[in-house]
Amino acid sequence: MTPFVTDVSAPAKRFLAALLPLAFLSAPLPLLAQPASQASADDLPLEEIQTFAEVFERIKRGYVEEVDDRTLLRNAMRGMLSELDPHSAYLDEEEYQSLRESTQGEFGGIGIEVGMENGQLMVVTPIDDTPASRAGLLSRDIIIAIDGTPTDSMSLQEAVTMMRGEPGSELRISVLRTGEETPRTFTLTREVIRSESVKHELLEPGYGYLRISQFQSRTPEQARQAIERMQRDTPLEGLILDLRNNPGGVLQAAAGVADLFLDSGLIVYTEGRLADTAMSFSASTDTPAGDVPLVVLINSGSASAAEIVAGALQDQRRGVIMGTDSFGKGSVQQIMPLGNGEGLKLTTALYYTPNGRSIQAQGIEPDVEVVRGRLELAESRLELRESDLDGHLNAQQPTNQARQSASERLRDDYQMSEALNLLKALNVVDRRRR
């Protein structure tokens, strides 16, 4: 064993005095005398504790600025969690309160979901109808600076705290986009971010569109009501479920939304080291969407709970998954309050699709790949229709402005247009089989 540091400060001695009893409590005395290679995996590694104390002492004595013990220990706890995975974190009181506010559905910010990948702060997805989405931020943009402060040494929670603030205040972020060498700088005005997670409309008679931007506790009931409204006058012949740029949310909400389309079978299950992290969700017979033909749109911004829904529907062959590969976040985080008013966000389990697929770092691969784009209609001078002839008779029916508006949206959204075309084709094939 490496000998103890002989010349240590009083704080370091107190630190060792606090830790060493834990080591003796965690294992029988004979084990503590064994070399580290032979010790049980449950024993505290005394050599590493001694090294930690030495590092603690060297910082206290030699760092360019004086650092108090509390700061050093908090930084150690942050590092302990941040090195586990991109989603685990130590939350101080302000960060813990901020996270609680976000789960309640209202906070001041720019409307962006972020994560860490290879030590870089990355946009997972901008939330619909927020400053971030309106400014044109995209999934997988790398945020290199926030208000001029580089993010390379910034934790995920520090970045989230910096981006949140009073509505009306400005925030400047610099991002590096894939395929570009020069960073882009966006100046955004913070707003109150209210997460209304469900929108719906009829694109054409009989063909519905259901957009879920994130998963909150009320999302399944809101989605159910939207489906029932679209079916109020006439049964749906097809439905597009749009999960693009959906960063996820509440696990139970994802299971509830998948249940709207499934009448039996497994939806998702989780596995972790602790017994209470093993959960399983199955579909009920109450299925408002029935057998309505379904296309699910996903992209690289579809993460976590959105991937649960897409994976369940894909495994159960309930719908066609269309778009591009999803983000690949297949882990479950628990928020654990601490006695001092602070908390931990700790990854405790992985979730799996009904067929046992892990989404973690893999994502959902669409059944039909359709990249993002805009539909450009080619004009031809050779085309001639009755309406082009002088003196043609007009049809005795009003112009459908709603349908015209939907057509413009479809022209601007190639993926949605292809989804609608696929639903129509499925109905043609189904009618011919009858």
Side-chain angles (χ1 to χ4, degrees):
M1 281 189 180
T2 304
F4 279 103
V5 181
T6 56
D7 185 15
V8 297
S9 65
K13 289 179 180 177
R14 290 196 300 271
F15 176 73
L16 280 172
L19 274 183
L20 287 177
L22 296 178
F24 282 88
L25 288 173
S26 68
L29 275 173
L31 287 179
L32 292 174
Q34 294 179 6
S37 60
Q38 298 177 17
S40 165
D42 293 331
D43 298 337
L44 283 176
L46 294 185
E47 291 186 13
E48 280 71 19
I49 292 174
Q50 295 166 18
T51 302
F52 185 95
E54 184 177 359
V55 172
F56 185 94
E57 166 61 21
R58 289 178 184 270
I59 295 173
K60 287 285 295 181
R61 179 179 296 180
Y63 186 62
V64 65
E65 295 178 354
E66 187 174 347
V67 187
D68 62 84
D69 297 345
R70 182 185 180 91
T71 298
L72 284 176
L73 291 174
R74 284 176 179 271
N75 289 344
M77 290 185 285
R78 288 184 185 278
M80 185 162 47
L81 284 151
S82 65
E83 289 297 314
L84 295 176
D85 65 78
H87 308 291
S88 295
Y90 182 88
L91 309 174
D92 63 25
E93 192 168 353
E94 182 179 351
E95 293 165 342
Y96 182 57
Q97 181 61 30
S98 176
L99 185 59
R100 290 184 62 185
E101 289 175 358
S102 67
T103 58
Q104 292 169 359
E106 183 173 310
F107 55 92
I110 60 172
I112 193 172
E113 178 80 13
V114 294
M116 298 292 289
E117 185 170 297
N118 299 324
Q120 296 177 314
L121 184 65
M122 178 177 293
V123 177
V124 174
T125 184
I127 300 172
D128 289 352
D129 299 324
T130 63
S133 64
R134 292 194 293 268
L137 284 164
L138 300 178
S139 173
R140 305 200 76 80
D141 280 350
I142 298 172
I143 302 176
I144 58 176
I146 302 174
D147 278 339
T149 303
T151 61
D152 52 357
S153 60
M154 195 178 294
S155 72
L156 182 61
Q157 289 302 319
E158 288 172 335
V160 170
T161 300
M162 284 191 68
M163 288 188 286
R164 289 185 180 171
E166 288 296 318
S169 60
E170 285 193 345
L171 176 73
R172 190 176 74 258
I173 63 174
S174 299
V175 306
L176 190 61
R177 185 161 293 174
T178 302
E180 298 181 358
E181 297 182 357
T182 304
R184 300 185 181 206
T185 299
F186 297 84
T187 301
L188 309 173
T189 301
R190 294 182 179 93
E191 296 178 0
V192 175
I193 306 300
R194 293 185 179 90
S195 20
E196 296 292 334
S197 61
V198 178
K199 296 180 180 179
H200 72 281
E201 65 176 294
L202 286 174
L203 298 175
E204 291 185 10
Y207 291 93
Y209 172 77
L210 182 65
R211 165 67 181 165
I212 299 179
S213 58
Q214 56 186 311
F215 289 91
Q216 303 169 339
S217 57
R218 294 186 63 244
T219 300
E221 182 57 31
Q222 292 173 346
R224 173 186 291 273
Q225 293 172 359
I227 294 171
E228 290 173 349
R229 289 193 195 103
M230 287 188 285
Q231 295 188 112
R232 186 169 296 163
D233 297 327
T234 181
L236 286 174
E237 297 182 48
L239 179 64
I240 298 173
L241 174 59
D242 190 353
L243 300 179
R244 293 173 297 179
N245 294 328
N246 182 319
V250 180
L251 174 63
Q252 290 82 351
V257 167
D259 193 16
L260 299 176
F261 303 95
L262 300 170
D263 57 13
S264 64
L266 188 62
I267 293 174
V268 64
Y269 66 94
T270 65
E271 291 184 351
R273 293 174 59 209
L274 301 178
D276 62 356
T277 60
M279 296 182 287
S280 176
F281 297 87
S282 296
S284 65
T285 56
D286 184 13
T287 309
D291 295 326
V292 175
L294 179 68
V295 172
V296 183
L297 291 176
I298 62 172
N299 64 3
S300 62
S302 305
S304 190
E307 295 172 292
I308 289 176
V309 175
L313 297 177
Q314 187 177 53
D315 281 5
Q316 294 232 33
R317 300 184 180 180
R318 174 59 184 87
V320 178
I321 312 300
M322 177 180 283
T324 55
D325 290 356
S326 64
F327 187 79
K329 181 184 178 296
S331 58
V332 180
Q333 283 73 44
Q334 286 189 11
I335 309 303
M336 303 176 179
L338 300 175
N340 59 357
E342 301 176 346
L344 301 180
K345 185 172 71 167
L346 185 65
T347 299
T348 57
L350 298 178
Y351 56 71
Y352 298 84
T353 70
N355 288 349
R357 292 185 294 161
S358 173
I359 299 169
Q360 180 60 28
Q362 301 295 321
I364 298 296
E365 184 177 339
D367 302 311
V368 179
E369 184 177 13
V370 178
V371 298
R372 178 172 169 264
R374 186 179 187 276
L375 186 62
E376 295 290 347
L377 301 178
E379 296 184 1
S380 173
R381 296 181 180 179
L382 300 178
E383 291 183 354
L384 188 65
R385 303 181 64 197
E386 172 72 15
S387 59
D388 298 320
L389 300 178
D390 292 337
H392 68 271
L393 298 176
N394 289 318
Q396 299 301 311
Q397 58 184 14
T399 302
N400 190 330
Q401 293 182 347
R403 182 170 180 176
Q404 181 178 354
S405 174
S407 297
E408 291 174 356
R409 288 193 56 205
L410 291 169
R411 185 171 62 248
D412 292 335
D413 191 335
Y414 179 64
Q415 290 173 322
M416 190 192 300
S417 175
E418 286 298 286
L420 182 59
N421 289 336
L422 178 57
L423 286 173
K424 292 178 178 178
L426 291 173
N427 277 316
V428 169
V429 171
D430 184 58
R431 283 195 292 269
R432 289 180 175 176
R433 286 177 176 174
R434 293 175 185 172

